[in-house]
Amino acid sequence: MRGGWALAMAAAGLAVPAAALARPPETLACAIKAAPEGLDQKVADAILTPGTPAANATQADLRAITDACAADQLLNDKQRDAYFSYTWGRMGRDALDGRLAALGIASALIDRALDIGPGNTNNPADKVTPGDLRIVSEALDKAGKPPASVTAQGWQLITGWIVATALMFDGQRDLD
């Protein structure tokens, strides 16, 4: 009797859907590791200029990579789309971070100001508002960087960072 109970519990454990289990970081990193060098920069460019032929081609390239990883991980269609969104946002963040730093803008300041990034609220992408730029502007001012000193390119990068972050965390939420 005791052996049958243990066997039934083990079988029940096997029946738990994979989506109910937390995804280890290496699973989320599959497409990042599989991407050719420089694709992260192309993703950042595509986030900054969506809808262009180059952006669409970059999306197609990354989609092929994420679909291969999703197939290996037995993700369903909804999870496959979420994994693409996560990877698109994460790769964009990785590349945009360096571009922001080159302009003297700390991405961590943006994360703190908007309560986005790892361990924070991370509002969904459809809730990113123009008011977010005002909040970032105030945070920049408090940090000693006058908002008027930020170039148009700097504001474009800040906006791209916010979008990439929202996409990354939307995708991660939808995967879990």
Side-chain angles (χ1 to χ4, degrees):
M1 181 77 164
R2 187 181 299 228
W5 180 81
L7 185 57
M9 291 303 289
L14 291 175
V16 174
L21 305 173
R23 298 202 185 280
E26 61 272 8
T27 299
L28 292 174
C30 172
I32 306 291
K33 292 178 182 176
E37 188 169 331
L39 185 58
D40 59 338
Q41 297 299 325
K42 289 180 181 180
V43 168
D45 292 342
I47 288 171
L48 297 172
T49 57
T52 64
N56 295 340
T58 300
Q59 280 186 323
D61 290 345
L62 185 60
R63 176 63 78 169
I65 295 166
T66 59
D67 281 352
C69 287
D72 288 345
Q73 298 169 32
L74 304 175
L75 300 181
N76 63 37
D77 287 343
K78 182 180 177 202
Q79 292 169 321
R80 189 177 294 244
D81 288 341
Y83 185 61
F84 174 81
S85 179
Y86 166 82
T87 305
W88 185 258
R90 180 171 168 193
M91 288 182 84
R93 270 178 62 98
D94 290 350
L96 291 168
D97 183 50
R99 294 180 189 186
L100 285 163
L103 294 178
I105 302 169
S107 58
L109 179 136
I110 302 165
D111 285 353
R112 280 191 307 276
L114 299 176
D115 198 30
I116 58 177
N120 295 326
T121 302
N122 299 306
N123 288 328
D126 62 357
K127 293 192 179 172
V128 175
T129 68
D132 292 336
L133 293 178
R134 181 188 47 76
I135 294 167
V136 171
S137 178
E138 292 169 1
L140 286 166
D141 197 36
K142 284 181 186 176
K145 183 163 184 72
S149 72
V150 177
T151 65
Q153 178 192 20
W155 286 110
Q156 183 185 27
L157 293 173
I158 290 168
T159 302
W161 177 264
I162 295 167
V163 168
T165 301
L167 289 169
M168 181 177 122
F169 285 103
D170 279 358
Q172 189 174 21
R173 260 192 298 270
D174 290 346
L175 274 168
D176 291 338

